[in-house]
Amino acid sequence: MHSLADLQDEYSFLDADDRYRLLIDLGRDLEPMPEALKTDATQVRGCSASVWVYPTVRDDGTLHFLADSNAAITKGIIALVLLTVQDRSADAILATDIDAALAPFDLKNQLSSNRTQGIPNMIALIRETARRYA
């Protein structure tokens, strides 16, 4: 998996089409989510595409998220969000300003509004999960 800082550097040098390709590639690299986990309970509300997020707790107490989408670019956005929180403790996730970590990618200006409208809901779901485990 890429680091967020490395991706930010690469992203800043790309034109719009290449940024889309980078997001699509990130989505392809997501850990596969079993179809059985794609249920109403794991679906993120408010996304124009279908998005599912399923949290698990590792033996070391860190949270690991499985996620998927039926839209390639949305799946890439999910991968970007997960880079900020994946395999971290609940307390560390709660201490992370996910919006600030994603700000350098300027997703709201790079993508259409219907592609980014579900991001706050996805972040809220991740933070809610972290609060439950903190």
mmCIF file of all heavy atoms in Angstrom, residues 56-65 85-93 133:
data_model
loop_
_atom_site.group_PDB
_atom_site.id
_atom_site.type_symbol
_atom_site.label_atom_id
_atom_site.label_comp_id
_atom_site.label_asym_id
_atom_site.label_seq_id
_atom_site.Cartn_x
_atom_site.Cartn_y
_atom_site.Cartn_z
ATOM 1 N N THR A 56 -13.207 -4.497 10.874
ATOM 2 C CA THR A 56 -12.787 -5.661 11.655
ATOM 3 C C THR A 56 -11.751 -5.178 12.665
ATOM 4 O O THR A 56 -11.131 -4.129 12.479
ATOM 5 C CB THR A 56 -12.165 -6.767 10.774
ATOM 6 O OG1 THR A 56 -11.008 -6.260 10.111
ATOM 7 C CG2 THR A 56 -13.157 -7.273 9.732
ATOM 8 N N VAL A 57 -11.585 -5.945 13.724
ATOM 9 C CA VAL A 57 -10.584 -5.622 14.733
ATOM 10 C C VAL A 57 -9.500 -6.688 14.665
ATOM 11 O O VAL A 57 -9.783 -7.882 14.734
ATOM 12 C CB VAL A 57 -11.198 -5.577 16.154
ATOM 13 C CG1 VAL A 57 -10.129 -5.229 17.181
ATOM 14 C CG2 VAL A 57 -12.342 -4.575 16.205
ATOM 15 N N ARG A 58 -8.274 -6.245 14.515
ATOM 16 C CA ARG A 58 -7.131 -7.167 14.456
ATOM 17 C C ARG A 58 -6.756 -7.632 15.858
ATOM 18 O O ARG A 58 -7.178 -7.031 16.851
ATOM 19 C CB ARG A 58 -5.935 -6.456 13.806
ATOM 20 C CG ARG A 58 -6.202 -5.975 12.391
ATOM 21 C CD ARG A 58 -5.554 -6.906 11.438
ATOM 22 N NE ARG A 58 -6.032 -6.681 10.089
ATOM 23 C CZ ARG A 58 -5.293 -6.825 9.024
ATOM 24 N NH1 ARG A 58 -4.035 -7.168 9.146
ATOM 25 N NH2 ARG A 58 -5.804 -6.654 7.840
ATOM 26 N N ASP A 59 -5.957 -8.669 15.924
ATOM 27 C CA ASP A 59 -5.507 -9.200 17.220
ATOM 28 C C ASP A 59 -4.797 -8.151 18.067
ATOM 29 O O ASP A 59 -4.872 -8.179 19.284
ATOM 30 C CB ASP A 59 -4.573 -10.401 17.012
ATOM 31 C CG ASP A 59 -5.329 -11.614 16.479
ATOM 32 O OD1 ASP A 59 -6.564 -11.675 16.636
ATOM 33 O OD2 ASP A 59 -4.674 -12.503 15.905
ATOM 34 N N ASP A 60 -4.121 -7.204 17.401
ATOM 35 C CA ASP A 60 -3.400 -6.168 18.141
ATOM 36 C C ASP A 60 -4.303 -4.985 18.525
ATOM 37 O O ASP A 60 -3.845 -3.979 19.057
ATOM 38 C CB ASP A 60 -2.181 -5.681 17.352
ATOM 39 C CG ASP A 60 -2.554 -5.021 16.033
ATOM 40 O OD1 ASP A 60 -3.763 -4.907 15.713
ATOM 41 O OD2 ASP A 60 -1.633 -4.609 15.303
ATOM 42 N N GLY A 61 -5.600 -5.110 18.247
ATOM 43 C CA GLY A 61 -6.553 -4.078 18.615
ATOM 44 C C GLY A 61 -6.742 -2.980 17.583
ATOM 45 O O GLY A 61 -7.557 -2.081 17.770
ATOM 46 N N THR A 62 -5.996 -3.034 16.490
ATOM 47 C CA THR A 62 -6.161 -2.019 15.452
ATOM 48 C C THR A 62 -7.394 -2.332 14.607
ATOM 49 O O THR A 62 -7.833 -3.479 14.526
ATOM 50 C CB THR A 62 -4.916 -1.928 14.544
ATOM 51 O OG1 THR A 62 -4.688 -3.198 13.939
ATOM 52 C CG2 THR A 62 -3.699 -1.484 15.330
ATOM 53 N N LEU A 63 -7.925 -1.303 13.999
ATOM 54 C CA LEU A 63 -9.090 -1.462 13.129
ATOM 55 C C LEU A 63 -8.635 -1.629 11.688
ATOM 56 O O LEU A 63 -7.752 -0.909 11.214
ATOM 57 C CB LEU A 63 -10.008 -0.247 13.238
ATOM 58 C CG LEU A 63 -10.697 -0.057 14.583
ATOM 59 C CD1 LEU A 63 -11.464 1.255 14.610
ATOM 60 C CD2 LEU A 63 -11.635 -1.212 14.866
ATOM 61 N N HIS A 64 -9.253 -2.597 11.028
ATOM 62 C CA HIS A 64 -8.962 -2.861 9.624
ATOM 63 C C HIS A 64 -10.294 -2.812 8.888
ATOM 64 O O HIS A 64 -11.263 -3.438 9.307
ATOM 65 C CB HIS A 64 -8.297 -4.228 9.458
ATOM 66 C CG HIS A 64 -7.911 -4.513 8.048
ATOM 67 N ND1 HIS A 64 -6.757 -4.014 7.491
ATOM 68 C CD2 HIS A 64 -8.540 -5.223 7.080
ATOM 69 C CE1 HIS A 64 -6.681 -4.419 6.231
ATOM 70 N NE2 HIS A 64 -7.753 -5.142 5.955
ATOM 71 N N PHE A 65 -10.342 -2.046 7.817
ATOM 72 C CA PHE A 65 -11.586 -1.864 7.081
ATOM 73 C C PHE A 65 -11.520 -2.547 5.726
ATOM 74 O O PHE A 65 -10.540 -2.400 4.991
ATOM 75 C CB PHE A 65 -11.856 -0.368 6.864
ATOM 76 C CG PHE A 65 -12.057 0.389 8.138
ATOM 77 C CD1 PHE A 65 -10.982 0.963 8.809
ATOM 78 C CD2 PHE A 65 -13.324 0.533 8.682
ATOM 79 C CE1 PHE A 65 -11.170 1.668 9.988
ATOM 80 C CE2 PHE A 65 -13.520 1.236 9.866
ATOM 81 C CZ PHE A 65 -12.445 1.800 10.516
ATOM 82 N N VAL A 85 -6.513 5.851 7.792
ATOM 83 C CA VAL A 85 -6.974 5.188 9.016
ATOM 84 C C VAL A 85 -6.651 3.700 9.111
ATOM 85 O O VAL A 85 -6.747 3.123 10.198
ATOM 86 C CB VAL A 85 -8.506 5.360 9.194
ATOM 87 C CG1 VAL A 85 -8.870 6.824 9.336
ATOM 88 C CG2 VAL A 85 -9.284 4.709 8.062
ATOM 89 N N GLN A 86 -6.310 3.081 8.030
ATOM 90 C CA GLN A 86 -6.182 1.620 7.994
ATOM 91 C C GLN A 86 -5.160 1.093 8.993
ATOM 92 O O GLN A 86 -4.047 1.618 9.090
ATOM 93 C CB GLN A 86 -5.806 1.172 6.569
ATOM 94 C CG GLN A 86 -5.935 -0.300 6.311
ATOM 95 C CD GLN A 86 -7.380 -0.777 6.289
ATOM 96 O OE1 GLN A 86 -8.026 -0.836 7.330
ATOM 97 N NE2 GLN A 86 -7.867 -1.107 5.117
ATOM 98 N N ASP A 87 -5.562 0.077 9.738
ATOM 99 C CA ASP A 87 -4.695 -0.636 10.679
ATOM 100 C C ASP A 87 -4.126 0.267 11.770
ATOM 101 O O ASP A 87 -2.985 0.119 12.190
ATOM 102 C CB ASP A 87 -3.575 -1.375 9.937
ATOM 103 C CG ASP A 87 -4.128 -2.418 8.974
ATOM 104 O OD1 ASP A 87 -5.185 -3.006 9.276
ATOM 105 O OD2 ASP A 87 -3.515 -2.642 7.924
ATOM 106 N N ARG A 88 -4.955 1.189 12.231
ATOM 107 C CA ARG A 88 -4.582 2.075 13.338
ATOM 108 C C ARG A 88 -5.524 1.807 14.500
ATOM 109 O O ARG A 88 -6.615 1.270 14.333
ATOM 110 C CB ARG A 88 -4.670 3.531 12.879
ATOM 111 C CG ARG A 88 -3.683 3.796 11.724
ATOM 112 C CD ARG A 88 -3.726 5.195 11.230
ATOM 113 N NE ARG A 88 -3.157 6.092 12.237
ATOM 114 C CZ ARG A 88 -3.330 7.389 12.222
ATOM 115 N NH1 ARG A 88 -4.044 7.960 11.284
ATOM 116 N NH2 ARG A 88 -2.792 8.135 13.159
ATOM 117 N N SER A 89 -5.120 2.222 15.669
ATOM 118 C CA SER A 89 -5.972 2.044 16.847
ATOM 119 C C SER A 89 -7.173 2.988 16.749
ATOM 120 O O SER A 89 -7.136 3.999 16.039
ATOM 121 C CB SER A 89 -5.190 2.354 18.123
ATOM 122 O OG SER A 89 -4.933 3.746 18.218
ATOM 123 N N ALA A 90 -8.216 2.648 17.475
ATOM 124 C CA ALA A 90 -9.413 3.497 17.495
ATOM 125 C C ALA A 90 -9.059 4.905 17.960
ATOM 126 O O ALA A 90 -9.522 5.898 17.385
ATOM 127 C CB ALA A 90 -10.479 2.866 18.385
ATOM 128 N N ASP A 91 -8.225 5.006 19.001
ATOM 129 C CA ASP A 91 -7.828 6.324 19.502
ATOM 130 C C ASP A 91 -7.060 7.119 18.456
ATOM 131 O O ASP A 91 -7.259 8.330 18.308
ATOM 132 C CB ASP A 91 -6.988 6.192 20.776
ATOM 133 C CG ASP A 91 -7.827 5.733 21.974
ATOM 134 O OD1 ASP A 91 -9.059 5.965 21.967
ATOM 135 O OD2 ASP A 91 -7.241 5.150 22.898
ATOM 136 N N ALA A 92 -6.180 6.442 17.726
ATOM 137 C CA ALA A 92 -5.407 7.120 16.679
ATOM 138 C C ALA A 92 -6.325 7.604 15.557
ATOM 139 O O ALA A 92 -6.145 8.706 15.024
ATOM 140 C CB ALA A 92 -4.333 6.196 16.125
ATOM 141 N N ILE A 93 -7.317 6.793 15.216
ATOM 142 C CA ILE A 93 -8.268 7.193 14.177
ATOM 143 C C ILE A 93 -9.052 8.421 14.635
ATOM 144 O O ILE A 93 -9.227 9.378 13.882
ATOM 145 C CB ILE A 93 -9.205 6.029 13.814
ATOM 146 C CG1 ILE A 93 -8.416 4.928 13.097
ATOM 147 C CG2 ILE A 93 -10.373 6.515 12.937
ATOM 148 C CD1 ILE A 93 -9.177 3.636 12.895
ATOM 149 N N TYR A 133 -15.071 1.400 19.459
ATOM 150 C CA TYR A 133 -13.967 0.539 19.896
ATOM 151 C C TYR A 133 -12.979 1.256 20.810
ATOM 152 O O TYR A 133 -12.093 0.619 21.366
ATOM 153 C CB TYR A 133 -13.232 -0.053 18.693
ATOM 154 C CG TYR A 133 -14.053 -1.105 17.999
ATOM 155 C CD1 TYR A 133 -14.748 -0.812 16.831
ATOM 156 C CD2 TYR A 133 -14.146 -2.394 18.513
ATOM 157 C CE1 TYR A 133 -15.513 -1.783 16.193
ATOM 158 C CE2 TYR A 133 -14.909 -3.363 17.894
ATOM 159 C CZ TYR A 133 -15.587 -3.044 16.717
ATOM 160 O OH TYR A 133 -16.341 -4.008 16.101
#
